[in-house]
Amino acid sequence: MSTAMQTEAIRIHAHGGPEVLRAETVALPAPGPGQARVRVAAAGVQYADVYEREGDHGGPHDAAPFPIAMGRAGAGVIETLGPGVCAVPPGIAQGARVGWIGPGAYAGHALAPAARLVALPDAVSFDVAAAWLLRGLTAEYLLRRLRPVGPGDTVLVHAAAGGMGLLLGQWGAMLGARMIGTVGGAGKVAAAKAHGYDAVIDYSAGDFAPQVMDLTGGRGADVILDGVGRAAFLPSLDCVRPRGMVVSYGTASGNVGAFDLQRLHSKSIVVTRPTLRSWIADPAELAAGAAAFFAALETGRIATPIGARLPLREAAEAHRLLESRTLTAPVVLVPDGA
């Protein structure tokens, strides 16, 4: 019978800067019905973690009570399954290599719903799964389901040199779309161009909207994928084509906030604010999305670099690195002994 255990976890007891992240020894209960206990090999560091740390829980759901166990994406090995676990995805068994999206990943061990685990192909490392699975599932629904892109489409991606931006550029190009990216600094232009973008605009040197219109012959982009939020949203409306779509999927510069709906009227612009949880809530969609991402990786046309690999106890430094915007690849945290 599985029993409770002690494990290291990163938690917060108040909202604030990276300094509120605390490494603590906590009691992890035995897995309950439908749960699995996973020995964490790597935890991904996401902007969603920064928002939660700061107190922006981001969406139509309640904030978690303190203390909050941090981390939303991890990878590791199933140590034990809770009672009654039977109808689970293929490959989910004791000893299996898995990835998952869910709370409490900044830890040595974590509990996860067995039905939400994704079996990892042998070719996908724990670091890549922890760093890229959440991003891969996001890119999958943005590019293949929310508004499928392909030949003939021009897609504008903001923050093209960040982790999500690099993935969107490569996968969008693989699907046949013309990819245009914006970056915040001349030093990031080369990184974006090396990851699928036909053209890259440094918005720190001038407004991006007129340049997008020039690059598209005055037509505008068919789709704009905006993970920046407040700083990029309104100018995006100026450079999307008539009946085009602006997808506000992230808020790295802050929430968009209220805006005049009439701004959409003249060009019949479609605006949406999706969230990943809605697109992987169905276990079948989660499995299909993960399979599509792993298949894309298997082509060898998508690079998944790791920007930094830090010990779990250095979670605060990982957040500082992410917020510095100096990295062009994701950060992972590694528990002792992993």
Side-chain angles (χ1 to χ4, degrees):
M1 175 180 289
S2 180
T3 59
M5 64 174 297
Q6 299 291 306
T7 193
E8 186 178 35
I10 304 298
R11 304 197 301 180
I12 63 172
H13 295 258
H15 295 302
E19 69 281 356
V20 303
L21 295 165
R22 291 165 50 177
E24 301 175 335
T25 299
V26 301
L28 187 71
Q35 289 185 318
R37 186 173 74 202
V38 181
R39 174 172 50 82
V40 180
V45 180
Q46 325 287 336
Y47 264 107
D49 304 340
V50 173
Y51 304 152
E52 183 167 42
R53 190 202 74 218
E54 292 176 335
D56 178 3
H57 53 89
H61 60 284
D62 295 332
F66 293 118
I68 297 173
M70 295 296 294
R72 300 191 184 199
V77 175
I78 296 177
E79 284 195 337
T80 184
L81 295 169
V85 175
C86 53
V88 297
I92 303 306
Q94 188 170 343
R97 302 172 67 253
V98 294
W100 79 97
I101 309 301
Y106 289 11
H109 293 78
L111 295 179
R116 306 302 297 173
L117 296 173
V118 174
L120 299 180
D122 291 342
V124 177
S125 71
F126 290 130
D127 284 3
V128 167
W132 289 95
L133 180 58
L134 187 148
R135 293 174 172 89
L137 291 168
T138 301
E140 188 276 329
Y141 89 77
L142 290 175
L143 296 172
R144 299 177 74 250
R145 289 192 284 153
L146 175 60
R147 195 323 194 152
V149 307
D153 287 323
T154 295
V155 181
L156 174 66
V157 177
H158 294 309
M164 268 303 303
L166 296 181
L167 179 54
L168 289 168
Q170 294 174 96
W171 204 344
M174 193 170 72
L175 292 170
R178 180 193 183 197
M179 305 300 292
I180 300 174
T182 69
V183 298
K188 297 180 179 180
V189 171
K193 284 190 174 179
H195 290 81
Y197 290 94
D198 297 285
V200 180
I201 299 166
D202 175 9
Y203 58 73
S204 68
D207 294 340
F208 66 81
Q211 297 180 69
V212 172
M213 296 304 290
D214 286 343
L215 287 168
T216 58
R219 181 172 182 266
D222 296 285
V223 185
I224 298 180
L225 301 177
D226 175 20
V228 172
R230 181 183 300 144
F233 177 75
L234 290 179
S236 294
L237 303 181
D238 295 329
C239 59
V240 67
R241 70 162 173 84
R243 293 166 52 189
M245 178 180 287
V246 178
V247 182
S248 177
Y249 73 90
T251 54
S253 69
N255 291 324
V256 170
F259 71 97
D260 184 1
L261 196 63
Q262 288 301 110
R263 288 288 301 269
L264 313 181
H265 176 261
S266 64
K267 293 193 290 185
S268 296
I269 300 169
V270 177
V271 170
T272 182
R273 178 62 175 97
T275 182
L276 173 62
R277 72 180 70 89
S278 298
W279 291 83
I280 59 171
D282 184 306
E285 290 185 325
L286 168 62
F293 175 52
F294 295 146
L297 295 186
E298 287 174 4
T299 67
R301 297 174 61 184
I302 293 180
T304 51
I306 303 299
R309 193 174 191 267
L310 301 176
L312 180 63
R313 287 181 172 269
E314 295 183 22
E317 178 60 22
H319 277 223
R320 291 186 187 101
L321 277 173
L322 191 67
E323 293 178 272
S324 74
R325 304 183 189 278
T326 58
L327 298 178
T328 57
V331 180
V332 295
L333 295 171
V334 182
D336 289 344

